[in-house]
Amino acid sequence: MDVYKQPVTDPSKGSKKGQLSLRRNSNGYLETIEGGAGKPEEDLLVTVFENGSLVKDYSLEEIRKNAAAVIQHSVQSQQLLTG
């Protein structure tokens, strides 16, 4: 059974269904794959909490480094699009 939300009062707040995977497509853009259909070797998501327990702990320095890498990739992608 896929778990998701679909509020009657605001349909725009609906969520994606089931287990999600995140990967980069052939154009380099992030793509969400629903329903557990993603390939584990391509999945960019990392389990941080599982069953109420911390599985992976990140330092503030690691978070900042990861955020900077995502921003840099976005800037490079935008530059390629605009020429």
Side-chain angles (χ1 to χ4, degrees), residues 58-68:
Y58 289 98
S59 68
L60 183 57
E61 182 178 328
E62 288 174 298
I63 293 168
R64 286 179 174 161
K65 180 180 174 186
N66 289 339

Side-chain angles (χ1 to χ4, degrees), residues 10-60:
D10 190 351
S12 70
K13 291 186 177 181
S15 66
K16 296 183 188 276
K17 297 180 180 181
Q19 183 178 355
L20 304 178
S21 296
L22 184 69
R23 71 178 188 113
R24 288 207 183 272
N25 65 21
S26 59
N27 295 326
Y29 292 103
L30 292 175
E31 178 177 64
T32 304
I33 302 170
E34 299 180 55
K39 297 177 184 175
E41 63 273 9
E42 294 179 346
D43 197 354
L44 300 174
L45 297 177
V46 176
T47 301
V48 176
F49 287 95
E50 188 168 26
N51 297 325
S53 298
L54 184 64
V55 176
K56 172 68 177 150
D57 194 10
Y58 289 98
S59 68
L60 183 57

